[in-house]
Amino acid sequence: MLRATEVISAGGWSGASDDEVVLDHDRRHRRRIRLTTSSGVQVLLDLARARHLREGDALLCENGHRIRVRAAAEPLLEIAAPDAAALVRIAWHLGNRHLPTQLLGDRIRIRADHVIAQMVEGLGGTATAVDAPFDPEGGAYAGGHHHHHHDHDDDDERGAPRAPTTLAGDHDLGS
């Protein structure tokens, strides 16, 4: 089994790869996982810390092989709006729901969700089902651990410091 211990970012390498792995969005954020390449070779991804793999990155194996990362097509909604202001408004509503969102200039992609599609249409947009690679924005806190909280006042009513509130979805992905 090959062992990949480094990632070379897309654009940071050139030439042909030795093989490729095709992964959906969820399987592209990893530290350690066994992968199977398109030609059937087993590769152990063994990084020092978790990393989001992007389309075109290369996994560098100990033997020098480079395995290209391909983003798999998955069921998504492609969202459009009649004008930029409407698209920004829709984007705000998606962000308010903490949905992973891919920005494409005049369109937005999210994971397929019929409830959100109805919301988008209620806001004047269109939501079209597509199968495409999904590579959402990393967010303001990408690359580091954070605790997301909505307490806008650091003290309670008695003036005592309040501990940050961590939402159930926040996890340290360090290993």
Side-chain angles (χ1 to χ4, degrees), residues 1-4 19 21 33-45 61 67:
M1 174 183 306
L2 293 177
R3 184 170 170 247
D19 209 336
V21 290
I33 188 172
R34 184 184 312 221
L35 303 169
T36 303
T37 69
S38 296
S39 66
V41 174
Q42 296 288 307
V43 178
L44 173 64
L45 178 64
C61 298
I67 310 296

PDB file of all heavy atoms in Angstrom, residues 1-4 19 21 33-45 61 67:
ATOM      1  N   MET A   1       0.847  -1.172   0.000  1.00  0.00           N
ATOM      2  CA  MET A   1       0.000   0.000   0.000  1.00  0.00           C
ATOM      3  C   MET A   1       0.898   1.242   0.000  1.00  0.00           C
ATOM      4  O   MET A   1       1.843   1.332   0.767  1.00  0.00           O
ATOM      5  CB  MET A   1      -0.913   0.010   1.237  1.00  0.00           C
ATOM      6  CG  MET A   1      -1.712   1.285   1.351  1.00  0.00           C
ATOM      7  SD  MET A   1      -2.752   1.447   2.804  1.00  0.00           S
ATOM      8  CE  MET A   1      -3.725  -0.007   2.749  1.00  0.00           C
ATOM      9  N   LEU A   2       0.550   2.205  -0.868  1.00  0.00           N
ATOM     10  CA  LEU A   2       1.270   3.472  -0.886  1.00  0.00           C
ATOM     11  C   LEU A   2       0.863   4.308   0.324  1.00  0.00           C
ATOM     12  O   LEU A   2      -0.256   4.194   0.821  1.00  0.00           O
ATOM     13  CB  LEU A   2       0.943   4.242  -2.159  1.00  0.00           C
ATOM     14  CG  LEU A   2       1.422   3.663  -3.485  1.00  0.00           C
ATOM     15  CD1 LEU A   2       0.936   4.530  -4.644  1.00  0.00           C
ATOM     16  CD2 LEU A   2       2.936   3.560  -3.498  1.00  0.00           C
ATOM     17  N   ARG A   3       1.774   5.166   0.766  1.00  0.00           N
ATOM     18  CA  ARG A   3       1.482   6.066   1.898  1.00  0.00           C
ATOM     19  C   ARG A   3       1.751   7.495   1.454  1.00  0.00           C
ATOM     20  O   ARG A   3       2.868   7.835   1.059  1.00  0.00           O
ATOM     21  CB  ARG A   3       2.357   5.706   3.096  1.00  0.00           C
ATOM     22  CG  ARG A   3       2.050   6.523   4.328  1.00  0.00           C
ATOM     23  CD  ARG A   3       2.795   5.941   5.542  1.00  0.00           C
ATOM     24  NE  ARG A   3       2.694   6.825   6.661  1.00  0.00           N
ATOM     25  CZ  ARG A   3       3.715   7.490   7.206  1.00  0.00           C
ATOM     26  NH1 ARG A   3       4.940   7.324   6.731  1.00  0.00           N
ATOM     27  NH2 ARG A   3       3.529   8.293   8.219  1.00  0.00           N
ATOM     28  N   ALA A   4       0.696   8.342   1.500  1.00  0.00           N
ATOM     29  CA  ALA A   4       0.807   9.755   1.134  1.00  0.00           C
ATOM     30  C   ALA A   4       0.881  10.577   2.415  1.00  0.00           C
ATOM     31  O   ALA A   4      -0.009  10.491   3.261  1.00  0.00           O
ATOM     32  CB  ALA A   4      -0.382  10.183   0.297  1.00  0.00           C
ATOM     33  N   ASP A  19      -1.659   8.753 -10.781  1.00  0.00           N
ATOM     34  CA  ASP A  19      -2.982   8.152 -10.619  1.00  0.00           C
ATOM     35  C   ASP A  19      -3.890   9.253 -10.092  1.00  0.00           C
ATOM     36  O   ASP A  19      -3.463  10.401  -9.951  1.00  0.00           O
ATOM     37  CB  ASP A  19      -2.913   6.976  -9.635  1.00  0.00           C
ATOM     38  CG  ASP A  19      -3.961   5.890  -9.917  1.00  0.00           C
ATOM     39  OD1 ASP A  19      -5.004   6.196 -10.536  1.00  0.00           O
ATOM     40  OD2 ASP A  19      -3.736   4.746  -9.494  1.00  0.00           O
ATOM     41  N   VAL A  21      -7.546  10.022  -7.319  1.00  0.00           N
ATOM     42  CA  VAL A  21      -8.644   9.590  -6.450  1.00  0.00           C
ATOM     43  C   VAL A  21      -9.791  10.559  -6.677  1.00  0.00           C
ATOM     44  O   VAL A  21      -9.580  11.765  -6.853  1.00  0.00           O
ATOM     45  CB  VAL A  21      -8.265   9.555  -4.948  1.00  0.00           C
ATOM     46  CG1 VAL A  21      -7.292   8.450  -4.656  1.00  0.00           C
ATOM     47  CG2 VAL A  21      -7.748  10.880  -4.464  1.00  0.00           C
ATOM     48  N   ILE A  33      -6.911   8.397   6.162  1.00  0.00           N
ATOM     49  CA  ILE A  33      -7.960   7.575   5.554  1.00  0.00           C
ATOM     50  C   ILE A  33      -7.330   6.683   4.487  1.00  0.00           C
ATOM     51  O   ILE A  33      -6.347   7.058   3.856  1.00  0.00           O
ATOM     52  CB  ILE A  33      -9.075   8.449   4.927  1.00  0.00           C
ATOM     53  CG1 ILE A  33     -10.249   7.595   4.465  1.00  0.00           C
ATOM     54  CG2 ILE A  33      -8.519   9.321   3.820  1.00  0.00           C
ATOM     55  CD1 ILE A  33     -11.455   8.409   4.014  1.00  0.00           C
ATOM     56  N   ARG A  34      -7.914   5.508   4.297  1.00  0.00           N
ATOM     57  CA  ARG A  34      -7.490   4.614   3.220  1.00  0.00           C
ATOM     58  C   ARG A  34      -8.311   4.960   1.983  1.00  0.00           C
ATOM     59  O   ARG A  34      -9.531   5.043   2.045  1.00  0.00           O
ATOM     60  CB  ARG A  34      -7.728   3.163   3.592  1.00  0.00           C
ATOM     61  CG  ARG A  34      -7.213   2.193   2.543  1.00  0.00           C
ATOM     62  CD  ARG A  34      -7.534   0.779   2.892  1.00  0.00           C
ATOM     63  NE  ARG A  34      -7.172   0.515   4.278  1.00  0.00           N
ATOM     64  CZ  ARG A  34      -6.592  -0.587   4.706  1.00  0.00           C
ATOM     65  NH1 ARG A  34      -6.307  -1.542   3.859  1.00  0.00           N
ATOM     66  NH2 ARG A  34      -6.314  -0.749   5.970  1.00  0.00           N
ATOM     67  N   LEU A  35      -7.622   5.183   0.885  1.00  0.00           N
ATOM     68  CA  LEU A  35      -8.259   5.549  -0.374  1.00  0.00           C
ATOM     69  C   LEU A  35      -7.928   4.516  -1.434  1.00  0.00           C
ATOM     70  O   LEU A  35      -6.902   3.847  -1.357  1.00  0.00           O
ATOM     71  CB  LEU A  35      -7.738   6.921  -0.842  1.00  0.00           C
ATOM     72  CG  LEU A  35      -7.919   8.090   0.126  1.00  0.00           C
ATOM     73  CD1 LEU A  35      -7.134   9.298  -0.355  1.00  0.00           C
ATOM     74  CD2 LEU A  35      -9.387   8.419   0.272  1.00  0.00           C
ATOM     75  N   THR A  36      -8.789   4.429  -2.425  1.00  0.00           N
ATOM     76  CA  THR A  36      -8.533   3.577  -3.576  1.00  0.00           C
ATOM     77  C   THR A  36      -8.494   4.472  -4.806  1.00  0.00           C
ATOM     78  O   THR A  36      -9.429   5.223  -5.059  1.00  0.00           O
ATOM     79  CB  THR A  36      -9.633   2.508  -3.734  1.00  0.00           C
ATOM     80  OG1 THR A  36      -9.703   1.745  -2.527  1.00  0.00           O
ATOM     81  CG2 THR A  36      -9.338   1.585  -4.906  1.00  0.00           C
ATOM     82  N   THR A  37      -7.419   4.390  -5.560  1.00  0.00           N
ATOM     83  CA  THR A  37      -7.267   5.223  -6.749  1.00  0.00           C
ATOM     84  C   THR A  37      -8.155   4.695  -7.876  1.00  0.00           C
ATOM     85  O   THR A  37      -8.710   3.593  -7.795  1.00  0.00           O
ATOM     86  CB  THR A  37      -5.807   5.252  -7.228  1.00  0.00           C
ATOM     87  OG1 THR A  37      -5.465   3.960  -7.726  1.00  0.00           O
ATOM     88  CG2 THR A  37      -4.863   5.681  -6.116  1.00  0.00           C
ATOM     89  N   SER A  38      -8.244   5.472  -8.936  1.00  0.00           N
ATOM     90  CA  SER A  38      -9.041   5.067 -10.101  1.00  0.00           C
ATOM     91  C   SER A  38      -8.541   3.773 -10.723  1.00  0.00           C
ATOM     92  O   SER A  38      -9.308   3.015 -11.300  1.00  0.00           O
ATOM     93  CB  SER A  38      -9.032   6.178 -11.151  1.00  0.00           C
ATOM     94  OG  SER A  38      -9.662   7.326 -10.631  1.00  0.00           O
ATOM     95  N   SER A  39      -7.231   3.484 -10.579  1.00  0.00           N
ATOM     96  CA  SER A  39      -6.684   2.236 -11.138  1.00  0.00           C
ATOM     97  C   SER A  39      -6.708   1.087 -10.130  1.00  0.00           C
ATOM     98  O   SER A  39      -6.190   0.015 -10.415  1.00  0.00           O
ATOM     99  CB  SER A  39      -5.256   2.467 -11.640  1.00  0.00           C
ATOM    100  OG  SER A  39      -4.399   2.748 -10.551  1.00  0.00           O
ATOM    101  N   GLY A  40      -7.289   1.328  -8.933  1.00  0.00           N
ATOM    102  CA  GLY A  40      -7.432   0.267  -7.950  1.00  0.00           C
ATOM    103  C   GLY A  40      -6.313   0.153  -6.928  1.00  0.00           C
ATOM    104  O   GLY A  40      -6.310  -0.772  -6.114  1.00  0.00           O
ATOM    105  N   VAL A  41      -5.366   1.072  -6.920  1.00  0.00           N
ATOM    106  CA  VAL A  41      -4.254   1.041  -5.963  1.00  0.00           C
ATOM    107  C   VAL A  41      -4.723   1.586  -4.608  1.00  0.00           C
ATOM    108  O   VAL A  41      -5.413   2.598  -4.548  1.00  0.00           O
ATOM    109  CB  VAL A  41      -3.057   1.873  -6.487  1.00  0.00           C
ATOM    110  CG1 VAL A  41      -1.952   1.976  -5.458  1.00  0.00           C
ATOM    111  CG2 VAL A  41      -2.544   1.275  -7.792  1.00  0.00           C
ATOM    112  N   GLN A  42      -4.334   0.899  -3.541  1.00  0.00           N
ATOM    113  CA  GLN A  42      -4.656   1.350  -2.187  1.00  0.00           C
ATOM    114  C   GLN A  42      -3.621   2.381  -1.733  1.00  0.00           C
ATOM    115  O   GLN A  42      -2.418   2.158  -1.886  1.00  0.00           O
ATOM    116  CB  GLN A  42      -4.653   0.166  -1.210  1.00  0.00           C
ATOM    117  CG  GLN A  42      -5.723  -0.871  -1.496  1.00  0.00           C
ATOM    118  CD  GLN A  42      -7.100  -0.357  -1.149  1.00  0.00           C
ATOM    119  OE1 GLN A  42      -7.344   0.105  -0.039  1.00  0.00           O
ATOM    120  NE2 GLN A  42      -8.003  -0.410  -2.120  1.00  0.00           N
ATOM    121  N   VAL A  43      -4.117   3.504  -1.167  1.00  0.00           N
ATOM    122  CA  VAL A  43      -3.249   4.576  -0.679  1.00  0.00           C
ATOM    123  C   VAL A  43      -3.704   4.942   0.721  1.00  0.00           C
ATOM    124  O   VAL A  43      -4.898   5.142   0.958  1.00  0.00           O
ATOM    125  CB  VAL A  43      -3.325   5.829  -1.578  1.00  0.00           C
ATOM    126  CG1 VAL A  43      -2.461   6.959  -1.029  1.00  0.00           C
ATOM    127  CG2 VAL A  43      -2.946   5.496  -3.001  1.00  0.00           C
ATOM    128  N   LEU A  44      -2.759   5.021   1.645  1.00  0.00           N
ATOM    129  CA  LEU A  44      -3.067   5.516   2.979  1.00  0.00           C
ATOM    130  C   LEU A  44      -2.704   6.993   3.010  1.00  0.00           C
ATOM    131  O   LEU A  44      -1.540   7.352   2.852  1.00  0.00           O
ATOM    132  CB  LEU A  44      -2.275   4.772   4.055  1.00  0.00           C
ATOM    133  CG  LEU A  44      -2.425   5.344   5.476  1.00  0.00           C
ATOM    134  CD1 LEU A  44      -3.867   5.223   5.965  1.00  0.00           C
ATOM    135  CD2 LEU A  44      -1.463   4.650   6.431  1.00  0.00           C
ATOM    136  N   LEU A  45      -3.707   7.857   3.177  1.00  0.00           N
ATOM    137  CA  LEU A  45      -3.457   9.277   3.396  1.00  0.00           C
ATOM    138  C   LEU A  45      -3.147   9.423   4.872  1.00  0.00           C
ATOM    139  O   LEU A  45      -3.954   9.059   5.722  1.00  0.00           O
ATOM    140  CB  LEU A  45      -4.675  10.116   3.017  1.00  0.00           C
ATOM    141  CG  LEU A  45      -4.546  11.613   3.257  1.00  0.00           C
ATOM    142  CD1 LEU A  45      -3.455  12.213   2.375  1.00  0.00           C
ATOM    143  CD2 LEU A  45      -5.876  12.312   3.000  1.00  0.00           C
ATOM    144  N   CYS A  61       3.219  10.759  -2.329  1.00  0.00           N
ATOM    145  CA  CYS A  61       3.510   9.491  -1.654  1.00  0.00           C
ATOM    146  C   CYS A  61       4.995   9.399  -1.322  1.00  0.00           C
ATOM    147  O   CYS A  61       5.837  10.061  -1.932  1.00  0.00           O
ATOM    148  CB  CYS A  61       3.096   8.318  -2.539  1.00  0.00           C
ATOM    149  SG  CYS A  61       1.328   8.282  -2.882  1.00  0.00           S
ATOM    150  N   ILE A  67      -0.626  11.531  -6.594  1.00  0.00           N
ATOM    151  CA  ILE A  67      -1.994  11.098  -6.837  1.00  0.00           C
ATOM    152  C   ILE A  67      -2.866  12.354  -6.902  1.00  0.00           C
ATOM    153  O   ILE A  67      -2.990  13.089  -5.927  1.00  0.00           O
ATOM    154  CB  ILE A  67      -2.509  10.174  -5.702  1.00  0.00           C
ATOM    155  CG1 ILE A  67      -1.513   9.048  -5.392  1.00  0.00           C
ATOM    156  CG2 ILE A  67      -3.899   9.663  -6.024  1.00  0.00           C
ATOM    157  CD1 ILE A  67      -1.281   8.079  -6.503  1.00  0.00           C
TER     158      ILE A  67
END
